[in-house]
Amino acid sequence: MEGKITINDVAKAAGVSKGTVDRVLHNRGEVSAASKARVLKVIEELGFSPNVYASLLASRKVRKIVCLIPEFHQGEFWELTEKGIGAGQENAAKYGVEVVTVRYDQYDMESFQRACARTLEEDPVGVVLAPMFRNETLKFVKELSAKGIYYVYIDSKLEEDGYLAYFGMPMYQSGYLCADILTMGMPVRSVNIIRIARDKKGLSDPTLTRRTGFVDYIGEHFPDCEVRNVFIDPKDRDLRFEALDRMFGQMPADHLVMFNSRIHLVADYLRERGVHGCRVVGFDVLEKNLAALREDYVQALIAQHSDQQAAAAIDSIVEVSLLHRPLAKRDNFTQMDILNRYNCDYYL
Amino acid sequence: MEGKITINDVAKAAGVSKGTVDRVLHNRGEVSAASKARVLKVIEELGFSPNVYASLLASRKVRKIVCLIPEFHQGEFWELTEKGIGAGQENAAKYGVEVVTVRYDQYDMESFQRACARTLEEDPVGVVLAPMFRNETLKFVKELSAKGIYYVYIDSKLEEDGYLAYFGMPMYQSGYLCADILTMGMPVRSVNIIRIARDKKGLSDPTLTRRTGFVDYIGEHFPDCEVRNVFIDPKDRDLRFEALDRMFGQMPADHLVMFNSRIHLVADYLRERGVHGCRVVGFDVLEKNLAALREDYVQALIAQHSDQQAAAAIDSIVEVSLLHRPLAKRDNFTQMDILNRYNCDYYL
DNA sequence: GTGAAAGCGCTAACAT
DNA sequence: ATGTTAGCGCTTTCAC
């Protein structure tokens, strides 16, 4: 915009034409090693950086990014992620990049496979995905790599090496933190972990790591504290209430925690049974969780900005694939937010 | 980028030239009411929206945004804000907008006035500012309004009506929250507010509101709790230690709090005197505060992303002045983050 | 008051 | 392998 140096300046200084400079810029071959070297040197010396608008304006091609995430109902965890996809979409749109979302049933592997196929059909420059099925995901990202398609993990990541970036919570630490919040750093006799009973075949369980962190904290700080596991059914209300009745019947249960986003299931029980005085901690800012927090059936929520994570994931692909900017960090462990009834209204 | 409709389409449909369309687009007159109406109608019908790149590319004029913030030393509160200005700058640069920072001595009103003058000399499209001097700021923003220069507040805002937006923490609630964190929601006999002794002439004190929130919480929850004020000198270490010695000598002081960013001053004392077992809460993520948090001389910090606030402030001016996008919200009360030793390493 | 035309910096197709 | 050229959609003179 100012006395900016342009591709013409580079061309002149290197003694070649704009065409050649453009070719080395996007290294699409057809350039002798000699001129390439010369151009590169001049670019370096002059500190040339291309004008994004001019570039985008001239090359009017549509680029796509696809987001591959689970289907969900309103009020569930992935809703926030989707909101972030919307934000990322807006930003990408500024660069003429289209963002499409492909969904699958997170409990149905074949549905995931079909979604992968659909993703490839879109011929995207990059894909943002949450790895729910470990093996299938590994297979899929290998394909992406082969085709030169960038991919970035959100929510959780797999231990492999081809991803462009990762945006998500540090799972182990979140469990560790959770234990501190639950106990308030003071000795407690026992804690009850409420878990979802479900047969998971091939499903990776990100909350496992979180639970490990939790248990480690308890072991390190309060070795005498008993850690109990109670399983509930998310679908069947009656069974769930029965299980919780049994729990409260058997022994004093004044410290409750869940490692997924469904602490509201417990809150429902407490509300209905009129149980007060428990310390209850859960994860994530679902509307129902917030309600429980405000009513004081839940005392704290550990939250993450899954919206920002998704938006950042999309941005990272835009940055790299269009603007050719290197990424600052590959693994982005985002902050863990502690929410209580006094600060939750200013979240989001 | 796709089958988008362009200014040419509009011109053709309205039976005028591109030039005329452009004139009504930026209503710089010289157009008959008749053509203007026709063009406007066509624009509406066709749903035309201008291509930002093309526009920016063609009108290569430099636009400036100035950030008017206090000078500071390394490790002080404003450092984080400045970091955010850097981020905002990068984003603005994508749109060919230059961001310049103008600094002033926050304890010297004349310095602020000079800074205002310098700001105007830059002839910016917008300015981001933190209102440290109430009256002077009011005078200044009136000037800005008169010149059609957008301005957005960060950190704290004044009760007037011309600002484009505000990005900052809800001060009152932050004090309220702070009290809950300090007491852990359990009755305490007394709390000690450590305050900076300084004569402030004309200086607005944003922490006043915060203190009010704090005191209100205590009054509502624990009316028997005694709230004491202790004044310390930030510059003179010996005087400070004396004051704190006196405090600890007179009465049990096991709950300490500060409402500005300098809780590290208290931590220094505790560290040196080997005092443990106090519950200490402060604000903001200065490096020294984090250190104290890690060493457990401070148990919690209430933090805000002043970096994101500053970046968002800059972005908002870009959005409105260049892209002509309306702002989603004018008053943006950003989240209050609770930091302890277990989540602080993932902050920022 | 309005139209015509020359770019802005870059891309891509077409020559050579 | 390299140069030439015609735009991309818009802004901005400059004539009329």
Side-chain angles (χ1 to χ4, degrees):
Chain A
M1 297 297 154
E2 319 92 271
K4 264 290 240 175
I5 107 132
T6 79
I7 200 175
N8 258 317
D9 303 330
V10 175
K12 223 160 284 172
V16 296
S17 74
K18 303 198 295 178
T20 302
V21 176
D22 187 64
R23 275 180 275 255
V24 348
L25 237 32
H26 305 294
N27 44 195
R28 53 170 119 75
E30 317 274 290
V31 185
S32 74
S35 355
K36 179 164 178 177
R38 213 148 5 104
V39 169
L40 250 21
K41 195 166 135 258
V42 171
I43 287 180
E44 176 69 26
E45 286 171 0
L46 267 48
F48 164 78
S49 81
N51 180 319
V52 190
Y53 319 122
S55 169
L56 252 30
L57 184 58
S59 90
R60 58 223 161 300
K61 62 175 77 151
V62 293
R63 298 155 204 265
K64 274 186 194 166
I65 292 175
V66 359
C67 297
L68 190 55
I69 62 164
E71 308 167 336
F72 61 89
H73 298 289
Q74 216 198 343
E76 288 184 351
F77 176 80
W78 295 100
E79 193 172 24
L80 187 55
T81 301
E82 185 161 81
K83 191 178 149 207
I85 292 177
Q89 191 159 33
E90 274 183 45
N91 186 54
K94 293 182 191 166
Y95 296 97
V97 177
E98 200 179 323
V99 175
V100 326
T101 305
V102 172
R103 275 174 252 274
Y104 59 90
D105 177 346
Q106 62 175 310
Y107 303 112
D108 176 357
M109 194 165 85
E110 285 178 18
S111 149
F112 178 69
Q113 292 171 320
R114 282 191 303 269
C116 290
R118 256 179 299 144
T119 298
L120 289 175
E121 279 167 23
E122 298 280 358
D123 187 30
V125 295
V127 2
V128 173
L129 77 172
M132 304 304 286
F133 298 93
R134 189 187 148 71
N135 290 334
E136 289 311 307
T137 303
L138 283 173
K139 215 184 293 172
F140 180 55
V141 299
K142 201 164 290 173
E143 261 186 280
L144 292 178
S145 283
K147 295 191 193 254
I149 301 174
Y150 296 112
Y151 61 95
V152 1
Y153 289 121
I154 54 173
D155 192 52
S156 64
K157 64 169 189 152
L158 299 182
E159 296 309 327
E160 52 91 23
D161 222 55
Y163 61 98
L164 178 64
Y166 164 66
F167 294 87
M169 200 189 254
M171 292 305 276
Y172 179 89
Q173 340 293 344
S174 72
Y176 205 89
L177 171 66
C178 177
D180 188 68
I181 303 292
L182 184 68
T183 61
M184 297 175 91
M186 295 179 297
V188 303
R189 218 177 269 299
S190 69
V191 296
N192 288 39
I193 300 177
I194 317 295
R195 296 169 59 178
I196 299 284
R198 71 173 171 214
D199 36 29
K200 42 185 98 93
K201 25 182 182 177
L203 273 176
S204 66
D205 181 5
T207 69
L208 174 67
T209 315
R210 187 173 276 168
R211 197 163 68 238
T212 308
F214 181 91
V215 171
D216 283 357
Y217 177 100
I218 298 292
E220 290 167 23
H221 292 74
F222 311 118
D224 295 335
C225 174
E226 187 187 347
V227 177
R228 290 195 291 256
N229 289 273
V230 175
F231 290 84
I232 61 172
D233 188 314
K235 310 266 186 191
D236 189 321
R237 201 202 87 112
D238 292 343
L239 277 177
R240 184 163 81 241
F241 273 50
E242 248 174 61
L244 292 173
D245 278 339
R246 217 175 307 127
M247 174 183 84
F248 277 104
Q250 287 172 357
M251 44 199 58
D254 45 12
H255 286 80
L256 310 180
V257 66
M258 270 186 100
F259 296 131
N260 53 44
S261 64
R262 321 259 210 126
I263 193 68
H264 59 84
L265 293 177
V266 172
D268 283 346
Y269 173 91
L270 298 175
R271 186 184 296 113
E272 202 151 320
R273 290 281 191 263
V275 179
H276 290 277
C278 288
R279 184 154 178 92
V280 183
V281 175
F283 283 83
D284 298 316
V285 287
L286 313 200
E287 211 24 86
K288 285 181 181 172
N289 289 352
L290 285 176
L293 193 62
R294 293 193 189 100
E295 296 172 80
D296 207 28
Y297 288 110
V298 169
Q299 279 64 52
L301 241 30
I302 296 174
Q304 60 183 320
H305 276 293
S306 349
D307 50 345
Q308 293 177 9
Q309 290 163 12
I314 293 173
D315 285 359
S316 71
I317 295 177
V318 171
E319 290 278 307
V320 169
S321 71
L322 263 78
L323 314 184
H324 307 289
R325 278 183 243 259
L327 250 39
K329 262 196 288 183
R330 200 158 91 122
D331 286 318
N332 299 275
F333 295 105
T334 58
Q335 75 189 57
M336 302 179 279
D337 296 313
I338 303 169
L339 263 43
N340 65 22
R341 52 198 309 206
Y342 300 114
N343 69 343
C344 67
D345 288 329
Y346 295 91
Y347 199 71
L348 298 187
Chain B
M1 295 299 155
E2 317 93 273
K4 265 290 239 175
I5 107 133
T6 78
I7 199 174
N8 257 319
D9 303 329
V10 175
K12 224 159 283 171
V16 296
S17 75
K18 303 199 295 179
T20 302
V21 176
D22 188 66
R23 277 180 271 254
V24 349
L25 238 32
H26 304 294
N27 45 194
R28 55 169 118 74
E30 317 273 291
V31 185
S32 73
S35 346
K36 179 164 178 178
R38 210 146 10 98
V39 169
L40 249 22
K41 195 166 136 259
V42 171
I43 287 180
E44 178 67 26
E45 285 172 0
L46 268 47
F48 164 78
S49 81
N51 180 320
V52 189
Y53 317 122
S55 169
L56 253 31
L57 183 58
S59 89
R60 58 223 160 299
K61 62 176 75 152
V62 293
R63 298 154 203 267
K64 274 186 192 168
I65 292 175
V66 0
C67 297
L68 190 55
I69 62 164
E71 308 168 337
F72 60 90
H73 297 289
Q74 215 198 344
E76 288 184 348
F77 176 81
W78 295 101
E79 192 172 24
L80 187 56
T81 301
E82 185 160 81
K83 190 178 150 207
I85 292 177
Q89 190 159 34
E90 275 183 43
N91 185 54
K94 292 182 190 166
Y95 295 96
V97 176
E98 201 179 321
V99 174
V100 327
T101 306
V102 172
R103 275 174 252 274
Y104 59 90
D105 179 346
Q106 62 175 308
Y107 303 111
D108 175 358
M109 193 165 84
E110 286 178 18
S111 150
F112 177 69
Q113 291 171 321
R114 282 192 301 269
C116 291
R118 256 178 298 144
T119 299
L120 289 175
E121 280 167 22
E122 298 279 358
D123 187 30
V125 294
V127 3
V128 172
L129 78 171
M132 304 305 285
F133 298 94
R134 190 185 148 72
N135 290 334
E136 289 311 307
T137 302
L138 283 173
K139 214 183 297 172
F140 180 54
V141 299
K142 200 162 291 174
E143 261 186 281
L144 293 177
S145 284
K147 294 189 192 257
I149 301 174
Y150 295 112
Y151 60 95
V152 0
Y153 289 121
I154 55 172
D155 191 52
S156 63
K157 65 168 185 150
L158 299 183
E159 297 309 325
E160 53 92 21
D161 220 56
Y163 61 97
L164 178 65
Y166 164 66
F167 295 88
M169 201 189 254
M171 293 304 276
Y172 179 88
Q173 338 292 343
S174 72
Y176 206 88
L177 171 66
C178 177
D180 188 68
I181 302 292
L182 183 69
T183 61
M184 297 173 92
M186 294 179 297
V188 303
R189 217 178 271 299
S190 68
V191 296
N192 289 38
I193 300 177
I194 317 295
R195 295 169 60 178
I196 298 284
R198 68 172 172 215
D199 36 30
K200 40 187 98 94
K201 21 178 187 185
L203 270 175
S204 66
D205 181 6
T207 70
L208 173 68
T209 315
R210 187 173 275 167
R211 196 163 69 237
T212 308
F214 180 91
V215 171
D216 284 357
Y217 176 101
I218 298 292
E220 291 168 22
H221 293 72
F222 312 118
D224 295 334
C225 175
E226 186 187 349
V227 177
R228 291 194 291 257
N229 289 274
V230 175
F231 290 85
I232 60 172
D233 188 316
K235 310 265 186 194
D236 189 322
R237 203 201 85 112
D238 292 343
L239 277 176
R240 183 163 81 241
F241 273 50
E242 247 174 62
L244 292 173
D245 277 338
R246 217 176 306 128
M247 173 184 84
F248 277 104
Q250 286 171 356
M251 43 199 58
D254 44 14
H255 287 80
L256 310 180
V257 66
M258 270 185 100
F259 296 130
N260 53 43
S261 63
R262 322 257 210 127
I263 193 68
H264 59 84
L265 293 177
V266 172
D268 283 345
Y269 173 91
L270 298 175
R271 186 185 297 112
E272 202 151 318
R273 289 282 191 262
V275 179
H276 290 277
C278 288
R279 183 153 177 93
V280 183
V281 175
F283 282 82
D284 298 316
V285 287
L286 312 200
E287 212 22 87
K288 285 180 181 172
N289 289 352
L290 285 175
L293 193 62
R294 293 195 188 98
E295 295 171 82
D296 207 29
Y297 288 110
V298 169
Q299 279 65 51
L301 241 30
I302 297 175
Q304 60 184 318
H305 276 293
S306 347
D307 50 345
Q308 292 177 9
Q309 291 164 11
I314 294 174
D315 285 358
S316 71
I317 295 177
V318 171
E319 291 278 308
V320 169
S321 72
L322 264 75
L323 313 184
H324 307 289
R325 277 183 242 259
L327 250 38
K329 262 196 287 182
R330 201 160 90 122
D331 286 318
N332 299 275
F333 294 105
T334 58
Q335 75 189 58
M336 302 179 280
D337 297 313
I338 302 169
L339 263 43
N340 65 21
R341 54 197 307 206
Y342 300 114
N343 69 343
C344 68
D345 289 329
Y346 295 90
Y347 199 72
L348 297 188

